[in-house]
Amino acid sequence: MNTIIRFSLFFVLFLGAFFANGQELDTRQAPLPCVDKTFSVVAHIVLDSLGEPNITEQEITDAIVTANTAFEPICIRFEVCEFRNIPNFQYDDLDRQTTEWEELQVKYHISRRINMFFVNDFGATQPYVCGFAGLGDITELNRSGIVIRKGDCIEPGSKTVTHELGHYFSLLHTFEGNREELVNGDNCATTGDLICDTPADPFRVGDMVVDYVNVDQGCRFILGDQDPNGEYYAPHVGNYMSYYPSSCACGFTYEQYLKMANTYLDAPEKMW
């Protein structure tokens, strides 16, 4: 094999490793655990006051297919085993300041399934907050669930379901810690999302996303702020656990996958 061919082959392999899942991967890392499980999802659709679902079963199915691609590296799959309509329109505008979320779980939660509830609203103050999920609640067999806002949060290309499943398997937002995490990673294990291969993310809930990312320029990070050490932030705007545009989202990191897999594998009881 001549020098040019050898170099070309190396370059192709390098690019493949660098861009896998939108993140730089270290090929020296140990193989990820293979959970080898398909999780059954019950999709609860809350009807409005006119009895309309305002979401289609196909939209939900498509979002699950997107999540399957994201979770493939740890051999996790999801499938909707049942669609259920909830006729009580009171829950379509879910009030988390009252007991409504707890009531919803008591009345409609199906044991040993991932329960997803699709509602019109849940009082989010920012348009990019599209859902919520119990952190690490894949280990909770008889309560909890995931709530997803209908509309543009579930439209084609949305990564909302993938993001909320990340929480359900114990992942925090990449921007946790209110800018306490340092760019050099010195405190990555004790602040931020507590994961060290996700770079420090300066995003603050309430800020305008367009001040951080220019989607028209290939999802380029444009914020010029610095951390307490005077180093410029360079987060992964494509990380599923960020709040950057869904059109930019393309991957989890190695340590995020590892944490999600082990959260389930280490649970004392398992879902069916």
Side-chain angles (χ1 to χ4, degrees):
M1 184 181 295
N2 64 41
T3 302
I4 294 176
I5 294 176
R6 284 199 301 272
F7 175 78
S8 299
L9 179 59
F10 170 80
F11 187 67
V12 169
L13 291 173
F14 170 78
L15 288 179
F18 187 89
F19 288 109
N21 288 316
Q23 310 286 356
E24 182 178 359
L25 300 180
D26 186 347
T27 56
R28 296 168 298 178
Q29 291 168 323
L32 287 165
C34 179
V35 175
D36 193 23
K37 180 171 179 61
T38 298
F39 292 89
S40 294
V41 175
V42 178
H44 302 270
I45 303 172
V46 183
L47 306 181
D48 68 14
S49 60
L50 298 177
E52 297 295 331
N54 300 308
I55 191 173
T56 68
E57 293 182 2
Q58 188 61 53
E59 286 176 317
I60 297 172
T61 299
D62 290 345
I64 294 296
V65 170
T66 297
N68 283 340
T69 300
F71 280 78
E72 185 176 359
I74 49 176
C75 313
I76 284 178
R77 301 164 297 276
F78 308 97
E79 65 177 7
V80 180
C81 64
E82 187 176 3
F83 291 95
R84 290 190 169 202
N85 288 338
I86 295 178
N88 191 339
F89 67 85
Q90 168 188 341
Y91 298 122
D92 200 29
D93 288 309
L94 194 63
D95 187 352
R96 294 183 67 187
Q97 304 303 314
T98 67
T99 60
E100 284 187 357
W101 171 224
E102 286 72 21
E103 292 172 10
L104 202 58
Q105 295 173 69
V106 170
K107 292 180 180 179
Y108 300 106
H109 183 277
I110 306 299
S111 180
R112 294 180 179 268
R113 299 287 189 268
I114 296 178
N115 289 253
M116 290 189 185
F117 297 86
F118 296 87
V119 302
N120 174 64
D121 195 15
F122 51 84
T125 57
Q126 302 297 329
Y128 46 74
V129 179
C130 282
F132 65 88
L135 187 66
D137 276 0
I138 189 64
T139 62
E140 296 289 345
L141 308 183
N142 298 306
R143 66 168 186 84
S144 195
I146 296 172
V147 174
I148 304 291
R149 184 159 55 83
K150 304 170 191 175
D152 57 358
C153 289
I154 197 69
E155 67 184 7
S158 169
K159 307 301 192 304
T160 299
V161 168
T162 301
H163 177 100
E164 298 306 331
L165 282 167
H167 288 314
Y168 208 61
F169 279 81
S170 79
L171 296 185
L172 295 168
H173 293 120
T174 56
F175 54 81
E176 299 287 351
N178 195 27
R179 298 194 178 186
E180 294 176 355
E181 185 176 2
L182 300 174
V183 171
N184 65 16
D186 280 354
N187 61 351
C188 62
T190 58
T191 190
D193 63 356
L194 311 180
I195 291 179
C196 286
D197 67 351
T198 57
D201 186 344
F203 186 79
R204 287 172 171 157
V205 176
D207 287 356
M208 299 294 291
V209 175
V210 294
D211 293 334
Y212 288 80
V213 175
N214 189 322
V215 177
D216 294 334
Q217 295 183 9
C219 293
R220 186 168 66 89
F221 186 73
I222 57 176
L223 187 76
D225 289 6
Q226 299 169 306
D227 76 354
N229 288 338
E231 296 188 63
Y232 288 98
Y233 291 102
H236 286 164
V237 299
N239 195 288
Y240 286 129
M241 301 313 296
S242 75
Y243 264 4
Y244 300 120
S246 192
S247 59
C248 301
C250 58
F252 293 114
T253 66
Y254 175 89
E255 290 184 26
Q256 285 177 317
Y257 277 126
L258 192 63
K259 185 171 185 178
M260 289 192 291
N262 287 334
T263 293
Y264 178 74
L265 293 173
D266 293 342
E269 289 188 86
K270 305 288 192 294
M271 284 196 176
W272 291 342

